């Protein structure tokens, strides 16, 4: 048995790579269908994709940014189609909180708007590359600023045939 598990002990520990006590702090799932064609002005286009300044008008990409950046008031406007579980904890140090949240807003607005412009032009691969790059840049920012005991998984998926995207966010600790 130890030869099979290579020192992990019981087979279950090997299967979960030692994450037997994952403590989920936030889990969010949401999706948004975007109506094409988009306006030519990028400022108007991103409002159709990620939302407007008011918290009540945020769509999944910005709602996930709200949760990462401790803007928990956004929970008030969760729709029945969205899934959320939240414990109110600080993942980003307080002095940097607003700054990090604003960076994440800008990253998602820029990359997702570009992705839907590509989708509108029939450039599906370029649109998917923009979404992938969006996740990479978000992860870089989050990993740099978050407290070390937290792990953040951030997944944005593009559905070109339905002109929609989904955003899944999970923040957890390993205890």
């Amino acid at each position: 048995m130890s030869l099979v598990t290579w020192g992990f002990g019981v087979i279950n520990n090997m299967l979960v790579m030692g994450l037997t006590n994952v403590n989920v702090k936030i889990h969010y799932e949401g999706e948004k269908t975007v109506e094409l064609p988009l306006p030519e002005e990028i400022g108007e286009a991103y409002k159709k994709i990620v939302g407007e300044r008011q918290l009540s008008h945020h769509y999944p990409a910005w709602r996930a940014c709200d949760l990462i950046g401790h803007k928990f008031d956004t929970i008030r406007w969760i729709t029945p189609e969205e899934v959320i579980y939240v414990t109110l904890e600080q993942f980003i140090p307080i002095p940097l909180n607003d700054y990090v949240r604003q960076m994440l807003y800008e990253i998602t607005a820029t990359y997702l708007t570009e992705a839907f412009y590509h989708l509108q032009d029939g450039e599906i691969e370029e649109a998917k590359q923009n979404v992938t790059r969006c996740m990479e840049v978000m992860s870089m920012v989050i990993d740099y600023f978050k407290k070390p005991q937290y792990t953040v998984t951030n997944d944005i998926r593009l559905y070109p045939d339905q002109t929609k995207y989904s955003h899944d966010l999970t923040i957890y600790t390993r205890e």
Side-chain angles (χ1 to χ4, degrees):
M1 182 65 161
S2 61
L3 181 63
V4 172
T5 61
W6 288 59
F8 283 101
V10 294
I11 193 78
N12 290 345
N13 286 346
M14 187 177 76
L15 293 176
V16 296
M17 298 298 289
L19 301 177
T20 54
N21 295 318
V22 174
N23 189 358
V24 174
K25 304 298 182 182
I26 287 183
H27 180 74
Y28 170 75
E29 298 173 20
E31 60 182 35
K32 169 72 176 141
T33 302
V34 178
E35 293 180 29
L36 298 179
L38 294 172
E40 286 190 30
E41 172 154 345
I42 196 163
E44 293 301 314
Y46 85 72
K47 289 178 184 177
K48 293 176 75 174
I49 299 166
V50 294
E52 297 181 28
R53 194 149 181 78
Q54 280 175 253
L55 281 177
S56 58
H57 291 78
H58 285 189
Y59 298 137
W62 274 10
R63 192 146 348 260
C65 297
D66 292 337
L67 294 170
I68 294 167
H70 315 124
K71 197 72 167 173
F72 296 118
D73 294 349
T74 195
I75 296 167
R76 251 184 248 167
W77 292 284
I78 295 291
T79 63
E81 295 82 27
E82 294 172 288
V83 175
I84 191 164
Y85 168 80
V86 174
T87 56
L88 305 178
E89 289 194 29
Q90 302 291 324
F91 313 105
I92 309 286
I94 302 254
L96 304 172
N97 192 32
D98 292 338
Y99 174 68
V100 172
R101 186 177 57 250
Q102 189 60 43
M103 281 195 319
L104 295 174
Y105 286 161
E106 295 299 324
I107 292 165
T108 55
T110 301
Y111 282 102
L112 290 179
T113 302
E114 282 297 316
F116 278 95
Y117 274 130
H118 284 301
L119 206 58
Q120 179 174 291
D121 295 338
E123 302 166 344
I124 294 173
E125 284 308 309
E126 289 85 350
K128 288 180 180 179
Q129 288 172 0
N130 267 40
V131 170
T132 300
R133 183 71 180 137
C134 179
M135 289 188 298
E136 290 170 354
V137 174
M138 285 182 77
S139 292
M140 210 169 23
V141 169
I142 293 167
D143 288 344
Y144 186 81
F145 288 104
K146 74 177 176 57
K147 294 178 182 176
Q149 68 266 32
Y150 295 101
T151 302
V152 179
T153 60
N154 197 28
D155 185 33
I156 304 171
R157 293 178 190 247
L158 184 65
Y159 303 95
D161 53 333
Q162 301 169 19
T163 63
K164 126 177 134 172
Y165 73 92
S166 67
H167 198 134
D168 297 346
L169 169 72
T170 304
I171 301 175
Y172 62 92
T173 61
R174 291 170 275 179
E175 297 176 351

